[in-house]
């Protein structure tokens, strides 16, 4: 239930703000969108794939850098969330229980 709630909040924020997911992999997203286009009836591309290996290497390196940046961003977000939480010992739980014998 907690995971479903977090995902629904994430999707709601993305939809209402009109933003893309911050930690996505652009090449993977592009590939999935192209697969959807082909499934919907788009014509396949017929151009020869000239220089595809160097392009793939450049894309992979760019995505690796993007992934590292996203990881740093995610760690910072988690740290900020944890710093903003109240300590566990607030309210009634801050007072030790009085034991009556």
């Amino acid at each position: 239930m907690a995971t479903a709630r977090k995902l629904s909040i994430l999707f709601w924020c993305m939809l209402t703000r009109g933003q893309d997911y911050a930690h996505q992999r652009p090449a993977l997203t592009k590939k999935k969108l192209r697969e959807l286009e082909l499934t919907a009836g788009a014509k396949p591309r017929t151009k020869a794939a000239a220089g595809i290996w160097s392009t793939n290497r450049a894309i992979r390196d760019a995505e690796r850098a993007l992934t590292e940046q996203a990881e740093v961003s995610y760690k910072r977000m988690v740290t900020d969330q944890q710093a903003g939480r109240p300590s566990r010992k607030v309210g009634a739980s801050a007072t030790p229980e009085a034991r009556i014998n």
Side-chain angles (χ1 to χ4, degrees):
M1 287 302 274
T3 303
R5 181 178 183 275
K6 286 182 182 184
L7 286 174
S8 62
I9 290 172
L10 174 69
F11 295 148
W12 175 254
C13 290
M14 287 173 28
L15 288 172
T16 57
R17 296 175 186 168
Q19 296 176 343
D20 291 333
Y21 182 61
H23 306 291
Q24 69 177 340
R25 290 177 43 202
L28 183 60
T29 303
K30 187 175 180 180
K31 178 183 173 188
K32 288 181 180 182
L33 288 175
R34 182 62 184 154
E35 287 175 0
L36 286 173
E37 289 173 356
L38 291 172
T39 303
K43 294 182 181 178
R45 297 185 182 123
T46 57
K47 290 170 58 175
I52 188 127
W53 298 112
S54 62
T55 304
N56 283 344
R57 187 175 299 121
I59 289 172
R60 186 176 59 240
D61 292 341
E63 284 194 347
R64 182 173 292 133
L66 185 65
T67 303
E68 290 170 358
Q69 180 183 0
E71 185 177 348
V72 169
S73 171
Y74 181 77
K75 286 179 181 178
R76 187 179 321 126
M77 180 188 67
V78 170
T79 303
D80 290 346
Q81 283 180 343
Q82 290 174 346
R85 289 183 184 165
S87 65
R88 298 270 182 212
K89 296 186 177 183
V90 292
S93 64
T95 309
E97 293 180 340
R99 294 186 180 217
I100 301 174
N101 290 331

